[in-house]
Amino acid sequence: MSDNDSAPSDASMLSNVLGSAAASIVARACTHPLDTIKARLQASNIYKGPVDAFIKTVKSEGISGLFRGFGAVIMGGTPGTMLYLCSYEVWKANLSTISKEHDFIVHFSSGVLAETIACVVYVPVDVVKERMQVQSYKHVVYKNSMDALFQIMRTEGLRGIYKGYAATLASFGPFSALYFMFYEQFKQYTRQYLANTIDINDSLQGRQPLYNIDIPFHYTVMTSCSAGALASWLTSPLDMAKLRLQIQRGKMSNTTTTTTTTTTTRTFQGVVDCLSHSYKQGGVHGLFRGAGARVLHFAPATTITMSSYEIFRSYFDTRIQ
């Protein structure tokens, strides 16, 4: 599918669905250990940094400790990513007909709207995944992702499984908005650069429209990585607040459980309260605790996801159409 923002056809949409599913599996398999490290850094003060968290986790729990919650991510995260990327394409195509001269607004808005829809799937997956990631091997509460889902549903109900929906949307909504705005803008800059430095004039056809210029793979990697790093760093405080609120709900529902999530006995009333308390305790550094690990996770995650998505989508386009 080209980037001319036209409405996707049925065949093109099928390519988007299949491409997003394949990209999700590849990306999550590669980056889940980094996500686990990020979650433990944000949930606990016992680690000095990403390397220390990695060493201590592997030493105490083995490699399997890095993949806690992976089952929930694959089972729920894959359809979530499909819904996320496909809805983004639909919103982008429709909003482009309204605002043709302000692409960055279209991409920003489409990212937020896509995240709002995808969070219906993402939030339960995120809750289960993070409960699994931060539990200590010495105090195992959940045997696996399915057991965690059933226990949360039984003890906390539907409200428990969707605890932090607002916080998740407050975290990932801005991330998605900023990511797609940066990503699409970087792609536009790349096409302009290629148009100015590479001879794309054809003696018969003339100059191609910018959106018809194919972006080489290594440029796609650079644009997606840069966009992912910027967006993830800027929204790291919101992600920390979201994670602590989700974990807090689990601790409140099971007072007999002791895990590595303990940072304070204080009960947070919401995102703003959590951010305010973190700032009072550690200043700006406290707000961005785990930001490095978040970037280390999201930069490769978005790079692998979007690069794979573009490749798989093109592959399925040639097979279906």
Side-chain angles (χ1 to χ4, degrees):
M1 178 181 176
S2 66
D3 286 344
N4 62 356
D5 293 340
S6 60
S9 64
D10 291 341
S12 183
M13 180 56 71
L14 180 56
S15 298
N16 291 342
V17 170
L18 296 175
S20 59
S24 174
I25 294 172
V26 172
R28 292 177 183 278
C30 293
T31 61
H32 189 78
L34 294 173
D35 188 46
T36 298
I37 296 303
K38 183 268 298 182
R40 294 195 173 193
L41 275 170
Q42 291 181 330
S44 175
N45 292 321
I46 67 174
Y47 305 112
K48 298 177 182 178
V51 175
D52 183 52
F54 176 84
I55 293 174
K56 287 182 178 179
T57 298
V58 173
K59 185 177 180 180
S60 61
E61 304 174 46
I63 296 297
S64 62
L66 297 172
F67 284 90
R68 289 186 181 277
F70 186 65
V73 167
I74 290 297
M75 295 299 293
T78 300
T81 300
M82 293 164 60
L83 188 62
Y84 176 58
L85 292 175
C86 292
S87 60
Y88 170 75
E89 295 291 346
V90 172
W91 281 115
K92 182 175 71 169
N94 283 278
L95 292 178
S96 293
T97 62
I98 301 174
S99 178
K100 296 182 179 181
E101 297 181 357
H102 302 89
D103 286 346
F104 70 97
I105 296 178
V106 170
H107 301 145
F108 186 94
S109 302
S110 298
V112 172
L113 292 168
E115 190 66 47
T116 302
I117 295 172
C119 272
V120 174
V121 176
Y122 275 147
V123 171
V125 173
D126 213 31
V127 170
V128 171
K129 178 200 69 173
E130 289 178 344
R131 298 277 184 94
M132 290 291 295
Q133 285 176 325
V134 301
Q135 74 172 355
S136 170
Y137 78 102
K138 294 180 180 179
H139 304 282
V140 176
V141 181
Y142 311 115
K143 298 177 182 178
N144 50 50
S145 299
M146 192 61 67
D147 180 54
L149 175 63
F150 287 150
Q151 283 201 46
I152 295 170
M153 287 293 291
R154 184 174 64 252
T155 60
E156 305 170 45
L158 193 62
R159 183 168 178 264
I161 208 66
Y162 276 100
K163 175 65 177 180
Y165 179 89
T168 300
L169 192 56
S171 169
F172 284 100
F175 168 80
S176 293
L178 290 172
Y179 174 76
F180 280 115
M181 185 181 71
F182 290 143
Y183 179 61
E184 299 282 7
Q185 193 61 55
F186 291 163
K187 286 202 300 182
Q188 182 70 6
Y189 290 153
T190 300
R191 288 193 174 94
Q192 291 174 347
Y193 168 77
L194 293 173
N196 292 330
T197 59
I198 300 175
D199 182 16
I200 60 170
N201 288 313
D202 185 277
S203 59
L204 296 177
Q205 297 179 353
R207 178 175 289 272
Q208 301 180 54
L210 280 180
Y211 61 75
N212 278 344
I213 299 176
D214 289 331
I215 299 177
F217 176 74
H218 61 285
Y219 282 109
T220 300
V221 169
M222 286 191 292
T223 55
S224 57
C225 183
S226 299
L230 273 172
S232 60
W233 187 81
L234 289 171
T235 57
S236 183
L238 296 172
D239 183 62
M240 177 195 64
K242 178 264 303 181
L243 181 141
R244 291 188 175 183
L245 286 170
Q246 287 179 333
I247 294 172
Q248 174 181 277
R249 176 69 180 179
K251 292 174 63 180
M252 292 172 64
S253 68
N254 193 344
T255 56
T256 62
T257 301
T258 303
T259 72
T260 58
T261 64
T262 304
T263 57
T264 174
T265 56
R266 191 180 189 281
T267 299
F268 301 117
Q269 301 303 313
V271 175
V272 175
D273 183 43
C274 184
L275 291 174
S276 176
H277 181 74
S278 297
Y279 179 76
K280 289 178 182 178
Q281 280 199 322
V284 175
H285 178 74
L287 288 175
F288 282 88
R289 179 172 179 78
R294 177 171 165 82
V295 171
L296 285 175
H297 166 247
F298 272 97
T302 53
T303 300
I304 295 171
T305 299
M306 295 309 295
S307 299
S308 300
Y309 176 55
E310 300 287 2
I311 291 173
F312 284 123
R313 182 172 63 170
S314 296
Y315 170 80
F316 288 118
D317 263 337
T318 60
R319 295 296 184 276
I320 295 174
Q321 293 180 350

